Amino acid sequence: MPALPAVLPCAIRCALVIAAVAGLGACASTGPQSSSARPVLYPNDAFNRMGSQAAQAQVQACEDKALDAGLTPRVEDNAVGRGAVRGAAVGGTLGAVAGIFNGGIGRVAENAAKGAVAGGATGAVSESFNNDKPNPIYRNFVSRCVQERGLEVIGWN
């Protein structure tokens, strides 16, 4: 792939890179390991009697029941915040060390602050891509509710 022309302003190049990363992130947030996955039903007798549309309505009712019980499809573990703090600590440390070697002792605080800001932002963005973990309790609740209605969940997708 040819490199982006040097005549493109930096803002346009940055916008293109951000759009590409966002697009890849959207692709990564689907599939069976995503919190947006839904139950896949086996076409057993109950499914065949009620039909696909009614079976999906039963699944939706079970998902609503899980939400009413206080469960969420995604694990809420504040990973983005922890990533930001971890990144800020690492970035601040690296910035301080770079300040000692490149600017003398007088530039340590300035470089540590710059490193902490860059590291914090990097850590938050990195964890935001890993923050789509399905909640196993929510999935078990929905699966059991669906099973009690005569349907069989064979997986999530």
Side-chain angles (χ1 to χ4, degrees):
M1 179 174 160
L4 290 175
V7 296
L8 282 178
C10 181
I12 294 174
R13 288 190 302 236
C14 290
L16 290 172
V17 169
I18 290 170
V21 169
L24 289 174
C27 292
S29 65
T30 60
Q33 296 306 314
S34 168
S35 65
S36 63
R38 302 215 47 228
V40 176
L41 301 176
Y42 180 78
N44 64 2
D45 289 338
F47 179 92
N48 290 329
R49 272 193 310 276
M50 67 177 74
S52 177
Q53 191 172 8
Q56 290 305 319
Q58 294 295 324
V59 169
Q60 185 62 53
C62 288
E63 290 175 331
D64 292 343
K65 191 173 180 180
L67 292 172
D68 290 343
L71 299 173
T72 59
R74 184 172 79 174
V75 173
E76 303 290 340
D77 63 357
N78 200 20
V80 175
R82 282 196 320 276
V85 170
R86 191 171 38 248
V90 171
T93 303
L94 291 174
V97 171
I100 291 171
F101 289 111
N102 293 327
I105 203 73
R107 310 259 336 236
V108 171
E110 177 187 348
N111 286 335
K114 289 177 182 176
V117 169
T122 302
V125 169
S126 173
E127 284 300 320
S128 71
F129 286 107
N130 298 321
N131 199 34
D132 190 34
K133 299 176 195 127
N135 183 344
I137 298 170
Y138 171 87
R139 287 189 173 190
N140 288 340
F141 186 104
V142 172
S143 294
R144 181 170 176 177
C145 175
V146 168
Q147 181 183 7
E148 288 175 354
R149 295 169 186 234
L151 299 166
E152 293 179 49
V153 175
I154 59 172
W156 290 71
N157 198 12

